Amino acid sequence: MNKINSLKEYKEEYRKSIDNPEAFWSKKAESFTWKKKWEKVLNWEFETPQVEWFIGGQLNITENCLDRHLDTKGEHIAIIWEPNDPNEDTVRITYKELHKRVCSFANVLKRNGGKKGDRICLYMPMTPELAIATLACARIGAIHSVVFAGFSARSLEDRINDATCNIIVTADGGYRGAKTIELKHIVDKALETCPSIEKSIVLKRTGGKVTMKSGRDVWLHEELEHVNDICPAETMESEDALFVLYTSGSTGKPKGVVHTCGGYMVYAEYSFRNVFQYKDGDVYWCTADIGWITGHTYIVYGPLLSGATTVMFEGVPTYPDSGRFWEICDKHQVNLFYTAPTAIRALQACGKEFVNPYKLTSLRVLGSVGEPINEEAWHWYNDEIGKGKCPIVDTWWQTETGGIMISPLAGITKLKPSYATLPLPGVQPCLVDSDGHEIEGNDVQGNLCIKFPWPSMIRTTYGDHERCKQVYFSTYPGKYFTGDGCRRDEDGYYRITGRVDDVINVSGHRFGTAEIEAAIDEHENVVETAVVGYPHDIKGQGIYAYAICHNVPTDMEAFVVEVNKTVVEIIGPIAKPDKIQIVMGLPKTRSGKIMRRILRKVAEGEVTNLGDTSTLLDPSVVADIIKGAGL
Ligand code: WTA
């Protein structure tokens, strides 16, 4: 079904997808269960922008993830859940059981006022209930907004309020390695200023002490006693929203990227099956958290739409030791494994002794996502984990693209380390220069845009369509701008070189520098901050903050601790700066714009080649900054 089997087939499919996109995607969509077939495949223009796929079609994505597999795969394992603590039991859920549990959960949502069109926030640990809650929202036509459970109360509050969620699903706590995270406490704090929330449904995971606010908070296990496991799937239009997922950009607060039911479904399945070359019976494991797009598309939807067995892991790669990933691969005989370069680099740094005890013979395909994978990490992954026998799919995509856009197809596309290689069928990338002119030919470099719609593309930013237009469609009119720089080599292969905007990618997590600056600025002694990314051996990019203070701190260590605390409170632990440098001034142009180029160079340890500094208001600050950096 919809599977490409050779390079020749890939080329044919690609050509067809360009020559006649509507016929191409219509054929792919036909393999799904639709309640009503679409009348028109595509409507689009990139100015407003307005993009609609499978117009007039009606469906429910959960019928495609669950119900349609019941006859043939009812007893097949849908989810293997591996707990944080290796001594706790693995949980295996068949498609039949998953179907029932999703329906029961859906009924719990309904019992608590959840209905079609509502926004429901999920702030949960990586337990099966997170996947179940996600699908339960989709079952009743509510829009899920999953917030990564590492974000702070402030970040959670902002996201809940932006989407005016009426229900939150959470847990008493969650385990991550040796740590227990008290999620309910964080939620309680956030909800002090979330007037739209009426109900909070709480999973008991850790058994930690929590306070339940009467009338608002209910225990999931108690609610489940009052419902049955039958819940007809709500009828959704193709273009009804399926979910909103917040992501950072260059400016302002994180925005809610909106994906819709029909197109997202078709693309999630098609990309999963083809990139990983999924075969019936394969065990597939994506190590991401469902709080990120990778988890949405390639833990939950893509694999379940394909009838695969998807592994969910609650913990972290280094607990109880740095062999955990490989232990799990052997234990569950994982065939397809998908992780992030930051994890690969961290595990590589721990040494081979954590890999050697494991056979890793079940592995057939390895995947990478979230940031550029450097050649050294690529080779280690290839040699030590794949034993030179598993193709590595370096998958480039974004929260906004919904699914993998540029990637090898495992075993089909000839690989080149650090290259995402070629676009998937239906994806029309192009490179543009700073004037917006398309750069033709090969062996060229530019800003990566996509010039034609694909089914799982962003439809809007929640509650603010103008922002969607501004951020993605106005830099290069008529094109979707990715924010990434990219090289196309002599073979026409794409290599993503990193962000060209003020977004940094730290351990595969996206942050706007402005977002971190705003957090640091909340420290009472900070006047102004400028944050840049710099190359970091493990994280890919580290966070370097230059801060102007009211009073130069006498105890720098204590100051750093306080700033970190502030950032943790406002964003979360993942946004803590790696380096903080106190400066007397920032390199600003006469129009007041910070020249980040200079700050980036200094953060990289570069003192020469700082470029033209003549437009600076006060060029002398540069020498001070270099001196302060100890260069
Ligand atoms: C970066 C994650 C190089 C890129 C799915 C993009 C990559 C941002 C790759 C999106 C890759 C993702 N090679 N860079 N294979 N994959 N990126 O929204 O800068 O969390 O714009 O989506 O990650 O991050 P997001």
Side-chain angles (χ1 to χ4, degrees), residues 20 113 151 154 162 186 194 374 385 420 456 511 580 628:
N20 193 342
F151 278 119
R154 272 277 285 273
D162 187 77
I186 300 173
C194 293
N374 49 308
I385 307 305
S456 63
F511 296 104
I580 302 173

Side-chain angles (χ1 to χ4, degrees), residues 459-615:
R459 297 301 197 269
T460 189
T461 43
Y462 193 87
D464 189 354
H465 193 66
E466 183 59 25
R467 193 163 175 206
C468 175
K469 174 181 175 150
Q470 283 306 324
V471 174
Y472 305 105
F473 297 90
S474 41
T475 317
Y476 303 112
K479 297 183 176 72
Y480 166 83
F481 176 43
T482 64
D484 281 315
C486 183
R487 189 178 127 69
R488 185 166 55 222
D489 77 357
E490 51 293 348
D491 297 324
Y493 269 29
Y494 290 85
R495 177 186 195 149
I496 312 302
T497 50
R499 301 288 303 200
V500 293
D501 53 8
D502 290 323
V503 169
I504 53 177
N505 194 324
V506 184
S507 302
H509 304 316
R510 254 170 89 167
F511 296 104
T513 50
E515 196 186 344
I516 304 175
E517 286 161 7
I520 299 176
D521 287 350
E522 292 211 12
H523 185 280
E524 57 181 14
N525 190 18
V526 173
V527 181
E528 194 182 0
T529 325
V531 164
V532 295
Y534 72 100
H536 187 288
D537 285 347
I538 305 288
K539 299 179 173 185
Q541 279 189 298
I543 301 173
Y544 197 120
Y546 297 89
I548 304 177
C549 289
H550 290 288
N551 306 303
V552 174
T554 42
D555 183 347
M556 192 58 194
E557 243 173 71
F559 176 70
V560 168
V561 170
E562 283 167 29
V563 169
N564 283 344
K565 191 165 162 266
T566 310
V567 173
V568 170
E569 268 169 28
I570 293 164
I571 306 177
I574 50 179
K576 274 193 289 201
D578 297 278
K579 289 187 190 170
I580 302 173
Q581 182 184 336
I582 308 291
V583 293
M584 304 314 282
L586 290 166
K588 287 192 181 170
T589 60
R590 288 191 187 90
S591 57
K593 207 168 169 271
I594 296 172
M595 246 198 221
R596 286 169 193 280
R597 174 173 51 81
I598 295 174
L599 297 176
R600 274 190 220 113
K601 292 256 180 193
V602 174
E604 283 166 24
E606 168 103 41
V607 291
T608 48
N609 297 324
L610 294 182
D612 183 12
T613 54
S614 63
T615 56

Side-chain angles (χ1 to χ4, degrees), residues 35-94:
K35 289 175 186 280
K36 179 172 161 269
K37 198 181 165 177
W38 57 93
E39 283 142 26
K40 190 164 187 288
V41 180
L42 173 65
N43 253 342
W44 74 286
E45 46 88 0
F46 276 179
E47 198 184 322
T48 310
Q50 192 190 9
V51 175
E52 296 171 308
W53 282 93
F54 310 112
I55 304 137
Q58 291 179 335
L59 74 153
N60 187 294
I61 196 168
T62 69
E63 284 190 329
N64 287 280
C65 290
L66 303 170
D67 305 58
R68 79 173 164 143
H69 300 313
L70 293 182
D71 282 346
T72 50
K73 288 197 157 173
E75 303 305 326
H76 190 82
I77 303 296
I79 295 178
I80 297 177
W81 178 70
E82 177 65 26
N84 179 61
D85 178 351
N87 298 316
E88 195 182 329
D89 289 340
T90 296
V91 171
R92 289 183 178 78
I93 306 174
T94 63

Side-chain angles (χ1 to χ4, degrees), residues 9-27:
E9 274 180 34
Y10 161 73
K11 286 182 178 158
E12 280 165 13
E13 284 276 284
Y14 191 79
R15 192 184 40 74
K16 277 194 224 156
S17 78
I18 306 301
D19 290 350
N20 193 342
E22 299 196 22
F24 178 85
W25 286 115
S26 177
K27 189 132 181 289

Side-chain angles (χ1 to χ4, degrees), residues 247 292-294 368-373 394-400 420 482-484 496 498-499 505 508-510:
T247 192
W292 312 111
I293 190 68
T294 306
S368 170
V369 61
E371 48 175 321
I373 178 164
D394 177 358
T395 63
W396 173 83
W397 59 297
Q398 309 179 297
T399 305
E400 296 85 345
T482 64
D484 281 315
I496 312 302
R499 301 288 303 200
N505 194 324
H509 304 316
R510 254 170 89 167

Side-chain angles (χ1 to χ4, degrees), residues 215-236:
R216 185 192 71 184
D217 302 347
V218 294
W219 285 109
L220 175 62
H221 60 271
E222 290 177 3
E223 289 301 294
L224 282 168
E225 286 171 12
H226 300 287
V227 296
N228 66 22
D229 57 13
I230 298 162
C231 177
E234 187 67 47
T235 300
M236 306 299 287

